[in-house]
Amino acid sequence: MEDVACAAQSTRWFDVGVSSETDPHRAGVAAASRALTGPDPRLLVVFCSIRLDPHAVLAGIAEVAAGIPLIGCSSGAEISAEGPATGLVTIAAFGGSGFTVRTSAATGTRTAAREGGIEVARSAFAGMDGTNQLMLLLTDGLVEDQDDIIGGVYEMLGAGVALAGGAAGTALLADGATANTFHLYDGEVLTDAVVAAAITSDGPLGVAMRHGFREVGEPMVVTRSRDGRIYTLDNRPALHAYLDRLGAPAEAYHDKTAFVAFSRLRPLCVLRRATEEVRFVTEHADLDEGSLVCVGDVPEGGVVWPLESDAESTIEAVDSAWPAAVDALGGRPALGFLAFDCGVRQDILSQTPTGDRVAEEVGRMVQQADDRPFIGFYTWGEIARTRGVNGLHHQSLVVLAVG
């Protein structure tokens, strides 16, 4: 773990660097050089295209940023003020004595997710003073039980520490296979991992999540579920109750392709005591049995709400998430932002009846950032928790405002 102590006189700065260089080493050098605009850098956060060699990227970063604590992960597509793109290295730098940072990492989360969460949070804030605490968490999008990672973090930190972050993304290879995700931790490239940065700041840190979906009808009780598979809703076969409520076409009940096309735009919202969490409805539904499968826990006895959206409401989530993150700063100006946007939202916006609207969504982010630095990436799961136990979301946008 890396620890950086606060100096007597507090300062804070935040900046970003972006490089579209095709040579990964040069991309690392360029992005890091552009991000490091102030003295006393405390943390680098890297979103690196899955299409680039991460070892070469890290070697490039080390040429200009050796010894600076670093966390990062792979991304299928990146977000910056220049718009959405693939093949980029994007870096955010936190600097100044007003930030105290400790980084951590754990591997083996695909088979021991909760243990990974416990490991990265075990001594995360030990000896770190300050009222503004946040754990920036980058999980693995190929982990099926990502909520278990957050559960492990909660076991160590409790509800008093805010969480923000997302799951490493990937992309399809030329042969149709899915590329393996990776994480960056100081000078290492890790797979099957989770990385984290415990951040204490003398300025506020604002977290907001919005999804842009609309509730359809009344909430439904999960009357039977196990390990993410929902068997019954309101004591009816879950698939039928879900499709009936949303007015699905007849073919969605018996044709898997039609079901997937319908459900990908219509997740479930899990209603918690202190918050709500969107759950992606996967292609693993059993049409004969009538069960649904979600990514993430959907507890038996809990309450869910079927959701629907369109391109307009998806884009408009930016206009509610961004101001909410800024409002959480309590009137302090934002130094900059990190955005964690769901890859499914990108997919939805790329295939609207009027064409590709992904750039329009990122354009809204540029407007909301208002010349302040920001980067982000399209995730395979989003993390936001300011209260309560849970914090895993899907098909959502999470914004971290650094004050």
Side-chain angles (χ1 to χ4, degrees), residues 106-112 140 143 180-183 190-194:
T107 57
T109 56
R110 294 176 194 171
T111 54
D140 183 354
V143 170
N180 199 9
T181 54
F182 60 77
H183 285 77
L190 308 175
T191 56
D192 185 11
V194 55

Side-chain angles (χ1 to χ4, degrees), residues 67-78:
I68 302 173
L70 179 153
I71 65 169
C73 68
S74 60
S75 55
E78 300 75 51

